[in-house]
Amino acid sequence: MGCPRHARASADIAYLAAAQARGVEVRSGAVATGLKRTGGRVTGLRYTDAQGAQEIDAAEVVLAGNALGTARLMEGVEAPPLFGRGLMMHPTAIVTGLFADNIQSYRGAFAAALVSQQFYETDIARGFTRGFQMQALRGQGPLTTALGGYGLALPWGKAHAESFAASFGRSLSLTVTCDDIAEDRNRIALHPTRRDAHGLAVPRMIYRVGENSRRLLDFGIKRASEALREAGAGALRVNPLSRNAGFHLMGTARMGRDAETSVTDAFGRVHGVPGLSIVDASTFVTAAPVNPTPTLQAIALRAGEAMRGHLNARTETTA
Ligand SMILES: Cc1cc2nc3c(=O)[nH]c(=O)nc-3n(C[C@H](O)[C@H](O)[C@H](O)COP(=O)(O)OP(=O)(O)OC[C@H]3O[C@@H](n4cnc5c(N)ncnc54)[C@H](O)[C@@H]3O)c2cc1C
């Protein structure tokens, strides 16, 4: 989203200038439209920018378009059979408690004021595998409260002001974020006929919350409800599945040793397709119930280190 004061360590602030100082050339405003291939090897990329259609040759092409963008550029590549499957998200339930006192809950940081990983690990006695993280979200600002954020639907008309006063500054939510499981039926597929203006196939996201994840969320809703009641909340509102929580895409090109059970090796190199790597959260094997980007950055650093080694080795062999 960017930070207007440039105070946040987003990629543009933390990495871009340093990378450019080391010789990285950024071609912004470009849309990659396809891979160049010679036999089974990927040898470069086709893209379109303000100057029109362009091509670039490369010893290694690294796709980092996230599950949807990467899948579109993989069209026609003879990837291992699991490619596209095993899409994981972070299904999230939200329990909101209303407090009699005005606790000024509209103040402070929105998320992560309190984080609990008490139920992070598997305990089969609970009736599901894996676990979840709970996170406190402060109350909403005035507009979102008025519009009924987090299921606190307020009536319009005369009763609105009274309901608003009973909600604003008096609510606190706990999220239950689930360690999702990779299931083959959850996947990214390309539309058979529809294409965008650049000729790229339109992607389809096919996803249903699995049985294990549903059981886990239901258990978590009970624990979050207990915690809020213990804290003094009166009425509770439960959102069993936040629609807004479908924003962490993981899996679809899982890493592993075997082309039958994975898509890339441990460094993102696609099995059986020399010259092509995938370095985004597509390569995750598990989702964990935490935000994905720090793990993704660690994987990117690790893949970069390995790539430097194998590209140097190739240059030396060629020389
Ligand atoms: C609302 C929201 C909130 C989030 N909050 C958090 C958070 O708090 N913590 C956290 O850890 N994670 C968070 N995430 C997840 C985080 O944004 C992702 O994990 C991260 O951005 C993934 O990085 P990436 O570089 O793999 O993919 P992306 O950041 O998605 O970048 C992929 C890029 O590839 C580009 N692209 C795709 N196809 C093409 C093409 N053909 N040609 C040219 N460019 C192309 C896309 O335009 C995009 O810029 C959030 C996500 C959302 C949507």
Side-chain angles (χ1 to χ4, degrees), residues 30-32 64-66 69 73 200 247-248 280-281 291-294 296:
V31 176
N66 222 330
L73 288 166
L200 286 163
F247 45 44
H248 296 167
D280 57 32
N291 287 340
T293 312
L296 168 54

Side-chain angles (χ1 to χ4, degrees), residues 153-175:
L154 306 188
W156 290 111
K158 280 187 183 159
H160 183 82
E162 202 179 311
S163 305
F164 180 88
S167 309
F168 183 57
R170 296 167 196 267
S171 74
L172 179 77
S173 302
L174 287 179
T175 59

Side-chain angles (χ1 to χ4, degrees), residues 68 71-72 84-85 187-192 201-206:
L68 287 164
R72 305 177 82 190
R85 296 192 175 267
R187 62 195 189 277
I188 304 292
L190 299 181
H191 194 283
V202 169
R204 293 190 295 180
M205 192 188 290
I206 298 156

